[in-house]
Amino acid sequence: MKLELKNLKHSMFASHETHCFEAKLYVNGVFSATLSNDGQGGSDYVWWEKGVPISEKQVEDYLAKNVDTMSHRPEEWKELESPFRLEFWVGDEVNLLLATRELKKHLKKKILYKKGDEVWEKKFNIPITPSVIEEWKEKNPQVTEILNTMEFEKALEVYRA
């Protein structure tokens, strides 16, 4: 079963206890449900489309049985006392999508680099190009891990760590 969260609309100012969002859930490439949360700490709202071939129960059962294949943080999920749920997966996907957006935005105007266990940044008022990175690297030879030069998935992993 392939689960995808698409068309995420997120409101930072309205997110208090939880993310305030609306998104579309696709199961095996088929639009299946609209999900949302008002950001006040309550559960997600799920509206399943009529006539979709997969039910919410089937998705929940799949997630409970395949939790270790669903995220970059399965060890945390395996320790849950209750069965893994769609809401947990959605929360993780929202976090991943927001981090992806944020990283893409930062990479345009900043050089992001790893210093120790932390990600640091150097802001520029011009777009970041390979020549800007090379020039900055020459002035900072001690920096060996620059997120701008990594494959995006690896940079995202470092950025989220």
Side-chain angles (χ1 to χ4, degrees), residues 22 54 56 58 65 69 76 96:
E22 181 178 293
I54 302 279
E56 184 171 4
Q58 289 171 306
K65 292 175 187 162
T69 66
E76 293 175 14
L96 179 62

Side-chain angles (χ1 to χ4, degrees), residues 1 3 6 19 28 30 48 51 56 58 61 70 77-79 83 86 111-112 115 122 124 126 136 139 145 155 159:
M1 183 178 299
L3 302 176
K6 296 183 179 183
H19 288 297
N28 297 329
V30 176
W48 283 87
E56 184 171 4
Q58 289 171 306
D61 290 345
M70 299 309 295
W77 289 350
K78 287 179 186 176
E79 296 172 9
L86 177 61
I111 291 180
L112 300 174
K115 188 175 180 182
K122 173 63 178 155
F124 289 81
I126 58 172
W136 186 83
K139 294 177 184 175
E145 291 187 84
Y159 185 72

Side-chain angles (χ1 to χ4, degrees), residues 20-36:
C20 179
F21 75 94
E22 181 178 293
K24 306 292 183 195
L25 174 68
Y26 286 76
V27 181
N28 297 329
V30 176
F31 170 56
S32 300
T34 301
L35 303 115
S36 69

Side-chain angles (χ1 to χ4, degrees), residues 9 16-17 28 30 34 45 52 111 128 143 160:
K9 297 175 193 164
H16 298 283
E17 298 289 325
N28 297 329
V30 176
T34 301
Y45 302 102
V52 293
I111 291 180
I128 301 300
V143 175
R160 293 188 76 197

Side-chain angles (χ1 to χ4, degrees), residues 54-97:
I54 302 279
S55 70
E56 184 171 4
K57 171 127 177 54
Q58 289 171 306
V59 171
E60 295 267 355
D61 290 345
Y62 173 77
L63 289 169
K65 292 175 187 162
N66 296 285
V67 65
D68 59 336
T69 66
M70 299 309 295
S71 172
H72 59 283
R73 297 191 317 238
E75 64 280 351
E76 293 175 14
W77 289 350
K78 287 179 186 176
E79 296 172 9
L80 294 173
E81 293 180 16
S82 59
F84 187 72
R85 301 178 35 167
L86 177 61
E87 188 165 13
F88 301 156
W89 179 84
V90 169
D92 195 57
E93 286 298 301
V94 168
N95 288 333
L96 179 62
L97 291 170

